[in-house]
Amino acid sequence: MATLPPTVLNWQSVFNMYLVLGVSGAIFAYGLMFFYILNGRRKSSTGGMGVRGGGRGNLLTLIVVTGIVIAAFIAGVEGNSFMWNSPQNLPTLTITVHAYQWGWNFTYPNGYTSTDTLTVPANTTVILNVTSEDVFHDLGIPMFDVKADAIPGQWDALWFVATQTGIYPYAIRCYELCGVGHAYMTANLTVLTPSEFSFWYAHHGST
Amino acid sequence: MLERKRLYPTLWFALSVVALGVTSVAMVVFNHSGMVARLTYAELLIVWAGLLLVYFIVERPFIGSLPKTVGSWTKRWLTTTNHKDIGLLYIVTSLFFAFVGGALAELMRTQLMVPDNKFLTPIAYNQAVTIHGLVMVLWFLSPLAFGFANYIVPLQIRAKDLAFPRLNALSYWLYLASGVAAALAFFLPGGNLNGGWTFYAPLSSSQFMPGPGPTLGLMGALMLIASVTISTVNFLVTIVWLRAPEITWAKLPMFSWFILITVIQMLLAFPALFGAMLMLAVDRIAGTLYFTSVSGGAALLWDNMFWFFGHPEVYIVLLPALGVLAEVVPVFSGSTLYGRRSVLIAVFALALPLGMLVWGHHMYMTTIPDVEKEVFEFGTDAISIPFIVTIFAVIRTLGGGRVRLSTPMLFALGAISVFILGGITGLFLAAPVLDAAYRGSYFVVAHFHYIMAGTTMFGLFSALYYWFPRMTGRMYDEALGKAHFALTFVALNITYFPMFIVGEMPRRIFTYNVESWGLPNFVATIGAYVLGLVQVLLVYNLVKSSVRGPRAPADPWGAGTPEWSAEEPTTVVLGVGSNPIHKSSPTTPTEGGRVAQVERYPPSLVVLEHVSIRPVTLSVGVLLSLLGLALLDYDRFGLPFVALGVATVVYALLGWVLDPSGEGEADRLVGAWPFDRISKIKLGVWAFLLSEIILFGGVLTADAYVRMSDPSVWPAPGTLHPISLGAISTFILLSSSPAAYMALSSIRRGSVRGMVGWLSVALALGAAFDSIEFYEWGQLFSKGLMPWTNNALSAYYFTVGLHATHVLIGLIIMGYLITRGLSGGITQRNHEAVEAFGIFWSFVDAVWVFIFAFFFLL
């Protein structure tokens, strides 16, 4: 039960690779810089103006960096396709989200709406179809590493699978400046077990 | 009878006093109770008082005993067109705007210091966050870089000045006036812009951000872009054209190279923003629908247009700083730049095409197709390659010789250090999957502050210390400089590194209620206070050293680049009066001794070729007109402002074209591949037209986008107005192009009469064209078809109006050419103006073909 959500696992696998590449690149660059500085401090001032070529050295940098960047790109593309395709092997719940100044309106398939709390079942693919009624907003759920822009006149989508039940206050936030209420444009997230959710859902229907 | 010299100042004084009095009386008598009305009156009073203040500054009626050099001092700085003076003005003004942007940042950091703070209201915070971003990027970093460019580039290429010195002065004064406009906006109803520096549609529309304040802020930005465009053309022509024969491309110093690459990128990026902001301004003032119409795809239209400019802008700001690194690091490493030519190739590739292929990475979470997102991901990954090549070349330069750690070098090394961190985090942001966590969060804020406030600011501070001896003739205080570096470097990291730690906190929220975000925010705020405070060291050092610093040797760093060896005279010659005064020998005062010799200024401030007050007047006129237009948004009160502003603009322009310019001197011919056979002015016109192509291309693309998003309202061809009339007007306009060509060919043969005749024909045809366009508008208005009726009409009015304005400008230029021709100002050997006009006019005609096809035929 305590496994991480798949979107988070996907995010972390790409992140970790970038982190390794980035940190090693940074260590190399800082190391080289400090080596040259310390070395250059020891040189005598009577050496005169050195003249450096360097076309080949830069070509070498180009080749090595291109290789690294292509690796990063491929990892990114794999992560993207996971993020853009919701899993088919789990039950699916699709919820419509209307963003407005300043809040979220979650509409369930049975017509039930809520503005302060998004209630979802665990281990279910939850798809949020997001749009806006007024200005540009962005719905983000940091605990799942997912986001979707809420754009007036357009439908954007994201998916996640919650793996841990619980009540998460302010788990949903707006990530695009949308006016004076931007800071307060939050919503809570409640994750129930599938059976709890069925019970809850049956008692919050349109009837 | 007042003598003529006293007449204008006295009139100025009388008018401002009367206006001040009338406005105060009106304010009391009409007893406006509304907040908005009172604010408007207050704004008016500020403007009148400002005008009055100018009188007192320039004329100083009560302190006539002051030495006359002080008056010359004011006039000198108001009327100078010398590139060094303009450079210094840019540097000082941009540092002032850094203070403005910094003060706003301190307000924001104070608000965010602890959770649930109540220091600022949400609207105040939103204004602060917006103007902080705009001011720091557009009014501080870029202008500071171009202050150095103004001062240093002509020296590095051994030119006497920029290609168009008066236009250069105009750039500066427009820049200053645009900053004033953006600052005045705080005090207008509606407050300043408050949608973030990206002002996403439709939040920036009148519906969600009402009032003249935001409109004026927007006008300020538009004015700034006009200034930037003029500058861009000027620098491009200068570097291509005015290089001394010995400064070949291969010998061009790196800073000038980087400025050249920067202006090329500016030429491509800024017109797109100009188009978008113009649409937004017209939306707000005249009611078109570009960024309000949901069915027209407003939000994504703005996203695309803004970021098409917005991401290249990052490189526009960054490249001059990298140019400084490429200049400073070799000098202090006792070496030449490692792989100079390959670095240049990399930076060119970075600016073009890669820089133009990355804007979509700001739109990963929007609804653009996934394939597009991956193309932009690839572009963003790819652009890191030339950056890494460049930065490694700079690092390897360090290995060339003995490293000296003077203040400029310390700042350069600091820039490299923070660039490594900022650049690597940029790679993270290139991946859409990772962006799902980062978009709109403090991780992004931390990243771009490492690039902007870190790399760019350090690079430019390095330039400030490096060229300080060149600009003042004195050395700065080295110990203070090193202390300034150490404290700034530490404070910068204390400020921005915690923002990586609160990476999940949304940007631009004015408060938060999460306990765990408290500590990093607290630390960041302390860092921001220190960062702001230690800049006192910089200001103190600059001021103190420029007055009392030890004299600097000719080339204190042993750099050997041309700017350190240029000779220059030591006397400043100033004309008194508004007309440009041609350089005269310093020892022969003209006009009965009214030329002041100012010898106490350091040698860097040199002989003025000519002076002109027109740039100042013109900028003030534009400022007043725009203020009036913004006020119209709220009240008819704007009309007098518009009238006054337009009158000032006309007065300044008339003076401008009638003044002898001193810019007509024969061009120096150098082997300027690929421009062997092109004149200075023509190259300027072509460069300007390139930006016009981007502008019209952007507008027509936006029209096409609106049309594809909402094809249903688009009228079938011939229903809006008869195709036949459109075809006739097209025919009329197109036939004016050959007439303009005939005018050129006449003057080439030496026939002034022929030229005047053909120009009159072209003028008549152009006027007929514009009349038909406005007749058609009248027809539509009478049918109740307004710009806000639907998307199609909105696009039609805007695009045709933009084009008709260009035609109108062409008509004015033709009127000017005819007048000059009749008075003998254009001859067989001096007809460049006619040729330049012909190029512009052909372009205007050619654009119409596209507009006609789009709105009348398709």
Side-chain angles (χ1 to χ4, degrees):
Chain A
M1 192 62 207
T3 54
L4 286 167
T7 45
V8 175
L9 284 172
N10 177 51
W11 189 89
Q12 284 184 350
S13 72
V14 180
F15 176 81
N16 288 339
M17 177 179 168
Y18 276 55
L19 195 65
V20 169
L21 289 177
V23 168
S24 43
I27 290 174
F28 182 67
Y30 284 126
L32 197 64
M33 187 172 98
F34 283 110
F35 168 76
Y36 280 138
I37 293 173
L38 295 176
N39 209 26
R41 296 292 292 158
R42 282 201 295 271
K43 286 182 186 162
S44 71
S45 55
T46 51
M49 198 70 139
V51 175
R52 309 215 74 191
R56 283 195 190 171
N58 286 345
L59 189 64
L60 181 69
T61 317
L62 176 78
I63 292 167
V64 172
V65 172
T66 305
I68 294 173
V69 162
I70 286 175
F73 176 70
I74 291 171
V77 166
E78 277 181 14
N80 295 343
S81 66
F82 185 85
M83 177 174 72
W84 288 330
N85 297 297
S86 56
Q88 304 296 316
N89 56 348
L90 290 171
T92 302
L93 173 68
T94 304
I95 298 168
T96 304
V97 186
H98 287 270
Y100 59 92
Q101 281 183 322
W102 289 272
W104 311 97
N105 194 331
F106 305 102
T107 308
Y108 288 76
N110 68 0
Y112 169 74
T113 65
S114 161
T115 54
D116 58 350
T117 303
L118 175 65
T119 307
V120 296
N123 297 324
T124 304
T125 305
V126 178
I127 297 177
L128 299 185
N129 285 324
V130 186
T131 191
S132 169
E133 292 172 359
D134 36 49
V135 303
F136 213 114
H137 302 273
D138 178 281
L139 185 149
I141 314 176
M143 61 185 280
F144 298 131
D145 291 322
V146 292
K147 275 198 184 92
D149 283 340
I151 307 167
Q154 310 252 356
W155 285 97
D156 204 358
L158 64 80
W159 69 268
F160 62 85
V161 176
T163 52
Q164 193 112 43
T165 58
I167 296 167
Y168 303 96
Y170 311 115
I172 298 166
R173 288 179 179 273
C174 177
Y175 280 84
E176 180 59 51
L177 180 57
C178 52
V180 292
H182 176 48
Y184 298 128
M185 199 165 152
T186 57
N188 307 317
L189 179 73
T190 303
V191 182
L192 303 173
T193 61
S195 55
E196 281 171 350
F197 180 79
S198 308
F199 181 79
W200 175 89
Y201 193 57
H203 286 78
H204 290 85
S206 53
T207 46
Chain B
M1 184 67 194
L2 280 165
E3 61 175 303
R4 198 167 172 277
K5 179 181 90 151
R6 304 285 315 147
L7 181 64
Y8 289 128
T10 313
L11 266 179
W12 181 287
F13 173 75
L15 282 178
S16 2
V17 169
V18 169
L20 201 60
V22 169
T23 315
S24 321
V25 171
M27 192 174 174
V28 177
V29 170
F30 296 128
N31 191 20
H32 285 277
S33 49
M35 175 76 173
V36 178
R38 268 185 287 134
L39 274 171
T40 315
Y41 273 106
E43 184 86 358
L44 275 170
L45 288 175
I46 292 173
V47 172
W48 301 136
L51 289 180
L52 198 57
L53 190 66
V54 171
Y55 170 80
F56 280 102
I57 291 173
V58 176
E59 292 297 318
R60 297 178 318 288
F62 307 122
I63 39 176
S65 57
L66 271 181
K68 217 44 193 163
T69 43
V70 178
S72 313
W73 189 87
T74 316
K75 272 191 179 131
R76 175 251 178 90
W77 288 107
L78 283 176
T79 58
T80 182
T81 60
N82 179 283
H83 72 97
K84 292 181 185 169
D85 286 356
I86 303 287
L88 292 176
L89 285 172
Y90 262 112
I91 291 169
V92 172
T93 314
S94 62
L95 290 177
F96 169 73
F97 280 117
F99 172 76
V100 173
L104 291 170
E106 303 295 1
L107 291 178
M108 280 155 27
R109 284 314 322 168
T110 307
Q111 165 64 23
L112 291 174
M113 198 168 183
V114 290
D116 290 318
N117 201 358
K118 298 277 190 295
F119 177 69
L120 290 179
T121 60
I123 188 74
Y125 183 88
N126 286 356
Q127 290 179 41
V129 84
T130 305
I131 301 303
H132 163 73
L134 282 173
V135 161
M136 286 304 202
V137 174
L138 295 176
W139 276 282
F140 165 44
L141 290 174
S142 254
L144 180 56
F146 274 83
F148 296 124
N150 257 290
Y151 203 104
I152 299 300
V153 166
L155 297 177
Q156 286 195 333
I157 65 173
R158 292 196 204 283
K160 268 197 298 189
D161 207 320
L162 289 182
F164 309 107
R166 274 196 302 176
L167 286 179
N168 192 34
L170 179 63
S171 287
Y172 169 75
W173 290 106
L174 279 176
Y175 153 66
L176 180 61
S178 70
V180 171
L184 278 179
F186 274 112
F187 307 103
L188 277 183
N192 216 327
L193 290 165
N194 51 57
W197 83 285
T198 55
F199 16 78
Y200 270 20
L203 181 63
S204 51
S205 66
S206 296
Q207 189 193 345
F208 297 103
M209 199 188 288
T215 312
L216 185 62
L218 195 64
M219 299 286 198
L222 272 172
M223 210 169 156
L224 181 77
I225 304 172
S227 148
V228 165
T229 307
I230 296 170
S231 241
T232 307
V233 172
N234 215 340
F235 274 96
L236 192 67
V237 177
T238 304
I239 298 176
V240 171
W241 251 108
L242 295 187
R243 278 174 300 115
E246 69 270 22
I247 310 287
T248 56
W249 287 122
K251 287 186 183 150
L252 187 64
M254 286 308 267
F255 181 68
S256 291
W257 259 118
F258 273 66
I259 290 294
L260 178 64
I261 298 169
T262 307
V263 294
I264 290 173
Q265 180 126 50
M266 283 161 79
L267 203 57
L268 299 173
F270 270 98
L273 180 68
F274 190 81
M277 283 193 166
L278 196 62
M279 288 171 177
L280 182 55
V282 175
D283 274 7
R284 294 182 63 96
I285 295 170
T288 50
L289 302 170
Y290 279 108
F291 300 120
T292 51
S293 162
V294 170
S295 57
L300 283 187
L301 178 64
W302 176 267
D303 259 29
N304 274 303
M305 290 193 82
F306 182 83
W307 288 116
F308 183 81
F309 149 81
H311 208 84
E313 167 66 9
V314 175
Y315 306 130
I316 289 166
V317 171
L318 181 61
L319 282 179
L322 291 184
V324 173
L325 297 190
E327 196 83 45
V328 167
V329 171
V331 169
F332 290 88
S333 308
S335 174
T336 56
L337 184 66
Y338 184 84
R340 175 188 147 105
R341 205 181 310 176
S342 45
V343 167
L344 280 176
I345 293 171
V347 176
F348 249 117
L350 187 165
L352 205 70
L354 289 175
M356 310 308 286
L357 293 176
V358 297
W359 87 85
H361 70 224
H362 296 271
M363 302 169 68
Y364 282 156
M365 294 301 130
T366 66
T367 50
I368 61 172
D370 292 347
V371 177
E372 245 175 71
K373 292 177 187 170
E374 280 179 345
V375 170
F376 285 121
E377 178 180 11
F378 188 75
T380 312
D381 282 343
I383 205 165
S384 65
I385 298 170
F387 271 121
I388 297 172
V389 168
T390 306
I391 214 70
F392 267 101
V394 173
I395 290 176
R396 293 178 79 161
T397 304
L398 293 167
R402 179 177 158 75
V403 173
R404 289 178 291 165
L405 293 179
S406 307
T407 308
M409 182 63 157
L410 287 176
F411 270 106
L413 295 174
I416 299 171
S417 316
V418 291
F419 187 71
I420 293 170
L421 185 55
I424 285 174
T425 50
L427 197 60
F428 284 64
L429 291 165
V433 52
L434 297 182
D435 197 46
Y438 297 142
R439 185 231 184 288
S441 74
Y442 262 84
F443 186 90
V444 179
V445 177
H447 156 72
F448 71 71
H449 277 94
Y450 266 92
I451 298 293
M452 296 278 197
T455 315
T456 308
M457 194 174 78
F458 280 3
L460 296 177
F461 278 177
S462 167
L464 198 54
Y465 285 105
Y466 178 67
W467 281 311
F468 184 83
R470 181 67 189 77
M471 295 190 286
T472 62
R474 292 174 185 274
M475 291 303 289
Y476 60 87
D477 186 323
E478 187 69 48
L480 274 180
K482 283 182 173 160
H484 175 229
F485 166 74
L487 289 169
T488 307
F489 187 82
V490 172
L492 185 111
N493 283 291
I494 294 177
T495 311
Y496 298 117
F497 200 82
M499 296 186 188
F500 282 124
I501 296 170
V502 281
E504 74 175 45
M505 178 169 151
R507 279 172 86 169
R508 296 161 173 161
I509 53 173
F510 85 102
T511 189
Y512 52 91
N513 54 3
V514 181
E515 286 303 319
S516 62
W517 295 349
L519 182 64
N521 272 297
F522 187 81
V523 174
T525 301
I526 299 300
Y529 288 159
V530 178
L531 186 58
L533 213 56
V534 297
Q535 302 316 312
V536 172
L537 289 180
L538 173 71
V539 177
Y540 174 72
N541 198 350
L542 294 183
V543 173
K544 190 201 78 170
S545 305
S546 63
V547 180
R548 279 208 300 270
R551 293 273 172 202
D555 184 1
W557 314 119
T561 37
E563 79 268 25
W564 296 100
S565 59
E567 289 176 17
E568 51 200 356
T570 53
T571 317
V572 181
V573 181
L574 273 178
V576 179
S578 62
N579 286 328
I581 289 185
H582 287 276
K583 183 175 118 187
S584 53
S585 160
T587 51
T588 46
T590 55
E591 288 189 56
R594 273 165 52 213
V595 167
Q597 287 202 13
V598 190
E599 284 177 340
R600 60 196 190 85
Y601 294 105
S604 59
L605 311 172
V606 294
V607 168
L608 301 169
E609 278 279 276
H610 52 260
V611 294
S612 173
I613 192 68
R614 312 300 179 194
V616 183
T617 330
L618 186 55
S619 305
V620 171
V622 175
L623 177 62
L624 282 176
S625 325
L626 294 184
L627 179 63
L629 276 177
L631 284 174
L632 273 184
D633 193 17
Y634 154 70
D635 200 328
R636 282 176 199 285
F637 225 161
L639 274 179
F641 278 86
V642 177
L644 186 66
V646 170
T648 316
V649 168
V650 169
Y651 171 74
L653 281 179
L654 275 179
W656 188 295
V657 294
L658 294 177
D659 287 343
S661 69
E663 284 171 13
E665 57 186 293
D667 289 325
R668 189 163 19 169
L669 288 163
V670 293
W673 180 89
F675 302 110
D676 292 323
R677 273 180 255 282
I678 190 166
S679 79
K680 189 172 83 174
I681 292 178
K682 236 197 286 181
L683 179 59
V685 173
W686 279 114
F688 174 68
L689 284 190
L690 182 60
S691 77
E692 288 273 63
I693 288 172
I694 307 261
L695 172 64
F696 275 103
V699 170
L700 281 171
T701 310
D703 291 343
Y705 180 87
V706 170
R707 186 168 181 169
M708 284 189 294
S709 303
D710 184 20
S712 60
V713 297
W714 223 272
T719 52
L720 205 56
H721 24 233
I723 294 180
S724 53
L725 190 60
I728 291 170
S729 68
T730 306
F731 178 74
I732 289 175
L733 186 67
L734 291 188
S735 55
S736 74
S737 256
Y741 176 75
M742 291 306 289
L744 178 62
S745 106
S746 299
I747 193 69
R748 274 184 181 153
R749 284 199 318 273
S751 160
V752 174
R753 273 183 58 197
M755 179 202 77
V756 169
W758 280 114
L759 274 180
S760 308
V761 172
L763 180 73
L765 290 170
F769 170 82
D770 254 13
S771 309
I772 295 177
E773 290 313 309
F774 291 128
Y775 166 76
E776 283 178 349
W777 280 27
Q779 293 288 305
L780 291 177
F781 287 147
S782 67
K783 287 185 215 153
L785 297 170
M786 297 301 183
W788 49 89
T789 305
N790 63 37
N791 289 331
L793 282 161
S794 153
Y796 164 80
Y797 278 112
F798 179 85
T799 313
V800 171
L802 183 65
H803 179 262
T805 311
H806 277 77
V807 173
L808 203 60
I809 293 169
L811 297 183
I812 294 170
I813 299 175
M814 278 192 273
Y816 161 66
L817 289 176
I818 291 171
T819 323
R820 277 254 327 252
L822 287 175
S823 64
I826 298 174
T827 61
Q828 187 171 10
R829 295 181 61 188
N830 177 20
H831 61 264
E832 235 181 353
V834 184
E835 199 168 349
F837 165 74
I839 299 169
F840 171 75
W841 191 248
S842 311
F843 166 77
V844 171
D845 291 3
V847 166
W848 175 253
V849 175
F850 291 94
I851 297 176
F852 176 66
F854 187 83
F855 284 102
F856 288 73
L857 302 181
L858 293 176

